[in-house]
Amino acid sequence: MMVGKRFCYAVLLFSPATALTLRSASHNVTFADHEQHPTFQSFYHDYKSGPGIWKWSNALDAYQQHFAGMAGRSPLAVAEVGVQSGGSIDMWKAVLGKGVHYYGLDINKACRKFQNSSTSIFFGDQADDKVWDAFYSKISMVDILVDDGGHEAHQMSVTFRRSEEHTSELQSLTSS
């Protein structure tokens, strides 16, 4: 086991080659170095049954590049806008480890069925500031925020603006 700083990341994929990442240092966290975790790509390609996973391969590549190093950290708060059919919940937990608590945000109340002790689901339109007020009144910091929700500029800009308030450093990364 190793102790280090906890970071908050958010990735916005603009193209297959570029990602914009938010990063913010937080408190100490434990790393479980001995655990083996699949890659995002191998999990997706080996996934044969269960709720659907709707991801482009360039998103899986970006997740692997930016988040694989966080595997085994505990606790790890992963927030995703766009829960859809729920398959990515299993992906995040399998790839990043048992310490993941998943926070989903979706407009579809049927996503409520995915809630359990390590999964919290919030409802509403990501373009609505009141939805983010409610979300961030319950969760002060997330380690990873993925916006795979509405995909419209006005929705993504609200997500970015409201989430930026909960991070201290903005960093632009270019994928290779």
Side-chain angles (χ1 to χ4, degrees), residues 4-10 22-29 70 73 140-143 164-171:
K5 286 203 178 236
R6 184 175 187 181
F7 294 93
C8 178
Y9 287 89
L22 297 173
R23 181 175 158 266
S24 171
S26 183
H27 60 278
N28 287 340
V29 64
M70 301 173 84
R73 291 188 187 183
S140 60
M141 175 80 69
V142 295
D143 300 298
E164 183 183 25
E165 296 171 12
H166 297 272
T167 61
S168 62
E169 183 179 340
L170 179 63
Q171 176 180 26

Side-chain angles (χ1 to χ4, degrees), residues 31 33 40 63-73 76 95-96:
F31 297 72
D33 290 330
F40 287 96
Y63 299 163
Q64 188 64 32
Q65 179 179 355
H66 298 294
F67 305 137
M70 301 173 84
R73 291 188 187 183
L76 190 61
V95 175
L96 298 178

Side-chain angles (χ1 to χ4, degrees), residues 1-77:
M1 298 253 181
M2 165 179 139
V3 175
K5 286 203 178 236
R6 184 175 187 181
F7 294 93
C8 178
Y9 287 89
V11 170
L12 298 169
L13 298 174
F14 293 111
S15 72
T18 310
L20 181 64
T21 304
L22 297 173
R23 181 175 158 266
S24 171
S26 183
H27 60 278
N28 287 340
V29 64
T30 303
F31 297 72
D33 290 330
H34 63 280
E35 291 183 50
Q36 276 294 53
H37 301 277
T39 65
F40 287 96
Q41 297 91 337
S42 68
F43 180 86
Y44 181 83
H45 292 295
D46 293 343
Y47 192 75
K48 303 294 183 220
S49 64
I53 302 175
W54 305 94
K55 300 292 180 187
W56 292 98
S57 63
N58 67 319
L60 297 172
D61 295 342
Y63 299 163
Q64 188 64 32
Q65 179 179 355
H66 298 294
F67 305 137
M70 301 173 84
R73 291 188 187 183
S74 186
L76 190 61

Side-chain angles (χ1 to χ4, degrees), residues 86-105:
S88 64
I89 298 169
D90 294 334
M91 178 187 71
W92 290 108
K93 291 177 181 182
V95 175
L96 298 178
K98 296 174 188 164
V100 167
H101 189 99
Y102 177 92
Y103 298 94
L105 175 67

